[in-house]
Amino acid sequence: CSVTPGEYLSGGGDASSDRYGGFNGVGHVLLSLQDIDLIDILWRQDIDLGAGREVFNYSNRQKESEEEKPSPQDSKEASEEQESWRNGINLQGSAPVDGETGESIPEQFPARVVTSEVAVSNEDVPSTSQGLAAVPAAEPPLDLEQQWQDIMAIMELQAMEVNSTAPLPGSAAGTPESGAAGQFGLPARPTPINQDVSLHQASLPSCSQDFPPPFNPQLDSAGAPQRAPLLRPPSGNSSNVNSTFGATNLTGIFLPPHVNGSASNATAAAAVLADPFGSLLEEAMLDEISLLDLAMEEGFSQAQASQLEDELDSDSGLSLDSSRSPASPSSSETSCSSAASSSSTSATFSEEGAVGYSTDSEVAAAEPEEGAVGGYQPGYSKLCRMSFQDPTQFHGLPQLDGVGHNHTYNLPLASAFPERPELPLAAGKKAARDKQGAKFQPPQDFLDKHSSRDERRARAMKIPFSNDKIINLPVEEFNELLAKHHLSEAQLALIRDIRRRGKNKLAAQNCRKRKLDTIINLEQGVQDLRRDKARLLKEKMEFLRSIRQMKQKMQSLYQEVFAQLRDEEGRPYPPSQYSLQYGADGSVLVTPRGAAAAEQGRKPEKKQKDKKK
DNA sequence: GACATATGTCATATC
DNA sequence: GTGATATGACATATG
């Protein structure tokens, strides 16, 4: 009376004992245990929680990648691909597939609910295929779900074979749990992990190794889980299945270990013990995490790009405003430069020429008084330098208060006339102090020493306004300024050069700051991603641990349920001859094993016994 | 003196 | 077409 899981499940809540009361011969006991509810829930999770279609597709792609086969675009291609290893099992039609999981349950089960009593009879659904001779006629045709599950089953086996000896990455030895703690810490420099390898290796061994081999792999499909029907070959064809899948029978994975099994098969069953739903869950999680990694990488690029874009936009805006900002050092520079300019009018010092800078205007302007002072004094340039690695230094500058994320570097070119080069912060404070305090008239040699080349050139050319104005005035005002003064061509050329160089200097500073910010943001993004990666891996390990615990509990429940079963005469069911099948409503059916029993199962008298805890 | 770093400058592209 | 800006490349200054 090996009836397909779907048939028993089809009974659902209606599968009362009277429904199967007409069965004879074999005692069918319907149990209803609270623990069975858990099992049922687990089975439901098998399909609904763990195995999305994308998982199957992804897994299938992996399989295809291994086989170097073109990716199936539809179920037909997938069906053709699996034709070689399905051993001739006929796919007759295809049931509607759940949009999310690809399950065929919706059509399969409701139909059985109505016709279950009839459908289990051979007369109603005669066997039409030799290959399906031993398969109950009511067995629904293998649909896409089954195909995918077949693929998953094979992948599961392959993965277990690989991972049974693969240690968890990051842990030199021991269980994944023991290795997880060290692995998922936040090292100062996290080691990149190959997700495609490490994740699979990290998860599967823990599941396959922690379980005793309770299930007999040789038992036929009667013991197969109903909600996740794997390949269901004829009972008499089990050897064929074994030949196809190697030593491991994918069916009967829930059978107790003491039931009719050789040691080798029991060992093989141990590998399979990671039941289908568990494997599917693991695969699903692994795939999800892998996809998550991909998404993180892609997401990172997008998020970072957005962030960088915002940052750049912010920089750009600030930069544009900075030249006009009150915090801009222009004011201080103006005062200083004005002083310098006024001093220059006294012609108390000679100006050097352009040392190494020979624009036409500069040459024309500066040549006459070349060498009087000794040329360019680079020391002053340091006054204007700002460490853009340490933006906090800006906070100490009163004139920069409120600027916030200001990436400009146009500190006062002659802001403070410090006696000696200072740090930007000190220079800024001194500049503010000088600005607020009494007018400080530096000596001309000091001005000359600490002026920029363009300032010296401007003084040499007797430009009547400050370089700050030259550089920072809007073009209209700048032109008005030029118009107000009667300037020579040489002076005009120098002024335009000063303006061009001054603006470009600021632009270069901003450009470098942006570049630095970009680097800093990217580094921060890398750190964030590494942190997220570690967190996700830790979560994954926790999930796997939880699944393993559920498996253990389910196994114990299975054994407990079987131990409590009694036939009508109060005799226990030999586990070697019977298997348990679970109904969607929490009921449990005891079905005999073997092909003969399967045939008898067409018209058995089944006794269902509710036994709910 | 070699080297690294910071900065200025130029040339060019883009808006 | 012009001006402003961005940026790579190079030169220079400095520690």
Side-chain angles (χ1 to χ4, degrees):
Chain A
C1 60
S2 173
V3 184
T4 64
E7 289 171 341
Y8 281 97
L9 283 173
S10 67
D14 299 331
S16 58
S17 58
D18 58 348
R19 174 180 294 262
Y20 300 98
F23 292 3
N24 54 36
V26 183
H28 289 73
V29 178
L30 174 63
L31 297 179
S32 178
L33 304 174
Q34 290 180 351
D35 287 337
I36 299 304
D37 293 338
L38 173 61
I39 298 173
D40 183 47
I41 291 171
L42 292 176
W43 266 332
R44 291 173 186 272
Q45 288 178 341
D46 171 19
I47 301 300
D48 296 334
L49 296 181
R53 291 185 70 85
E54 67 278 6
V55 175
F56 294 123
N57 293 333
Y58 177 72
S59 302
N60 189 42
R61 286 196 296 272
Q62 285 186 328
K63 179 179 184 297
E64 292 164 2
S65 175
E66 294 173 358
E67 298 177 356
E68 296 182 355
K69 289 183 177 180
S71 174
Q73 298 301 321
D74 52 28
S75 60
K76 291 183 178 179
E77 294 183 8
S79 175
E80 294 174 359
E81 180 179 346
Q82 302 169 43
E83 197 64 26
S84 60
W85 52 272
R86 276 193 285 104
N87 289 330
I89 293 178
N90 187 18
L91 298 180
Q92 297 178 350
S94 61
V97 177
D98 183 283
E100 177 187 2
T101 65
E103 294 172 327
S104 59
I105 296 173
E107 176 182 294
Q108 194 173 333
F109 290 162
R112 303 260 178 256
V113 168
V114 177
T115 63
S116 59
E117 289 181 286
V118 180
V120 294
S121 64
N122 288 333
E123 295 82 4
D124 292 331
V125 186
S127 179
T128 57
S129 172
Q130 185 65 23
L132 292 172
V135 178
E139 173 80 9
L142 292 175
D143 54 12
L144 287 177
E145 176 196 11
Q146 290 174 317
Q147 298 176 30
W148 286 120
Q149 288 172 348
D150 292 344
I151 296 173
M152 292 300 297
I154 291 178
M155 293 185 60
E156 170 190 339
L157 293 177
Q158 295 173 344
M160 286 186 173
E161 290 177 0
V162 171
N163 291 298
S164 60
T165 58
L168 181 69
S171 62
T175 64
E177 290 82 1
S178 63
Q183 178 186 1
F184 299 126
L186 288 177
R189 191 174 184 84
T191 303
I193 298 175
N194 187 334
Q195 292 288 345
D196 292 339
V197 176
S198 64
L199 290 184
H200 288 75
Q201 291 176 343
S203 60
L204 293 176
S206 62
C207 297
S208 60
Q209 294 173 352
D210 293 351
F211 286 95
F215 301 141
N216 189 340
Q218 280 191 340
L219 295 175
D220 63 3
S221 58
Q226 295 162 337
R227 296 299 303 269
L230 295 174
L231 195 63
R232 279 183 57 87
S235 301
N237 217 14
S238 60
S239 61
N240 192 9
V241 175
N242 286 336
S243 64
T244 302
F245 295 111
T248 302
N249 191 330
L250 297 179
T251 61
I253 58 177
F254 285 107
L255 297 179
H258 54 279
V259 178
N260 185 29
S262 63
S264 61
N265 284 334
T267 303
V272 188
L273 182 55
D275 51 357
F277 73 84
S279 300
L280 291 176
L281 278 175
E282 291 168 6
E283 291 285 347
M285 287 192 297
L286 294 176
D287 294 341
E288 286 176 0
I289 292 176
S290 298
L291 293 175
L292 227 174
D293 285 347
L294 294 175
M296 279 201 303
E297 294 179 3
E298 296 178 358
F300 161 68
S301 59
Q302 294 175 355
Q304 289 297 318
S306 176
Q307 181 179 355
L308 290 177
E309 185 179 1
D310 293 341
E311 187 69 16
L312 292 177
D313 290 341
S314 173
D315 291 348
S316 178
L318 288 174
S319 298
L320 290 174
D321 293 336
S322 63
S323 60
R324 308 290 301 277
S325 170
S328 170
S330 60
S331 58
S332 60
E333 184 184 5
T334 301
S335 62
C336 300
S337 299
S338 298
S341 179
S342 61
S343 299
S344 69
T345 56
S346 65
T348 58
F349 54 80
S350 302
E351 300 296 336
E352 99 291 1
V355 180
Y357 298 86
S358 58
T359 61
D360 297 339
S361 59
E362 292 170 356
V363 172
E367 286 293 342
E369 296 176 333
E370 167 87 335
V373 172
Y376 171 54
Q377 296 294 327
Y380 176 75
S381 66
K382 289 300 177 185
L383 297 176
C384 303
R385 290 180 183 178
M386 298 186 65
S387 172
F388 36 88
Q389 285 106 337
D390 188 8
T392 58
Q393 294 181 357
F394 290 102
H395 300 323
L397 299 176
Q399 65 270 39
L400 294 182
D401 285 345
V403 173
H405 203 53
N406 194 332
H407 290 161
T408 61
Y409 297 86
N410 48 347
L411 266 186
L413 295 177
S415 59
F417 304 107
E419 289 86 353
R420 57 182 173 77
E422 295 176 332
L423 292 176
L425 178 60
K429 287 182 177 178
K430 182 177 277 294
R433 205 166 48 239
D434 294 339
K435 185 179 178 182
Q436 296 172 356
K439 290 279 185 179
F440 174 69
Q441 297 295 336
Q444 292 303 320
D445 58 344
F446 183 86
L447 282 176
D448 189 62
K449 258 188 174 180
H450 298 282
S451 296
S452 67
R453 287 171 293 180
D454 278 340
E455 285 176 331
R456 289 194 291 271
R457 291 170 196 148
R459 285 195 294 270
M461 290 291 291
K462 298 181 171 53
I463 303 300
F465 32 80
S466 67
N467 283 21
D468 175 70
K469 282 186 177 179
I470 294 173
I471 296 171
N472 296 319
L473 279 180
V475 63
E476 295 84 2
E477 298 181 23
F478 175 70
N479 290 331
E480 292 176 1
L481 186 66
L482 294 182
K484 275 195 256 181
H485 299 80
H486 297 284
L487 300 171
S488 66
E489 286 300 320
Q491 286 177 315
L492 289 175
L494 177 60
I495 288 171
R496 290 195 171 89
D497 285 340
I498 290 172
R499 183 176 175 87
R500 175 179 50 80
R501 281 193 291 264
K503 285 186 175 297
N504 186 252
K505 184 170 70 177
L506 300 180
Q509 289 170 347
N510 291 337
C511 181
R512 283 163 178 149
K513 180 61 170 61
R514 272 191 298 272
K515 190 181 294 184
L516 199 65
D517 287 344
T518 300
I519 294 172
I520 291 173
N521 288 334
L522 290 174
E523 289 176 347
Q524 183 62 40
V526 170
Q527 291 178 2
D528 292 343
L529 288 177
R530 284 174 176 165
R531 213 165 14 243
D532 292 342
K533 184 178 183 180
R535 178 180 54 80
L536 290 173
L537 286 173
K538 184 177 181 181
E539 292 178 359
K540 173 207 170 223
M541 293 305 300
E542 292 173 353
F543 286 141
L544 292 178
R545 192 178 299 113
S546 176
I547 289 173
R548 186 164 53 251
Q549 291 173 353
M550 286 191 293
K551 287 179 181 176
Q552 291 172 341
K553 185 175 182 180
M554 184 175 177
Q555 174 195 343
S556 63
L557 288 174
Y558 184 95
Q559 295 177 347
E560 180 181 351
V561 167
F562 216 99
Q564 296 179 9
L565 295 180
R566 294 292 184 275
D567 60 10
E568 294 174 334
E569 301 177 358
R571 294 173 300 183
Y573 288 96
S576 60
Q577 300 177 12
Y578 296 93
S579 65
L580 297 182
Q581 302 223 356
Y582 302 90
D585 59 345
S587 62
V588 176
L589 296 179
V590 180
T591 59
R593 306 180 184 281
E599 290 300 321
Q600 293 178 356
R602 295 291 123 198
K603 310 180 233 180
E605 66 172 1
K606 295 188 295 184
K607 183 166 186 177
Q608 301 178 359
K609 179 180 178 181
D610 285 333
K611 193 172 184 179
K612 293 188 177 180
K613 287 184 180 178

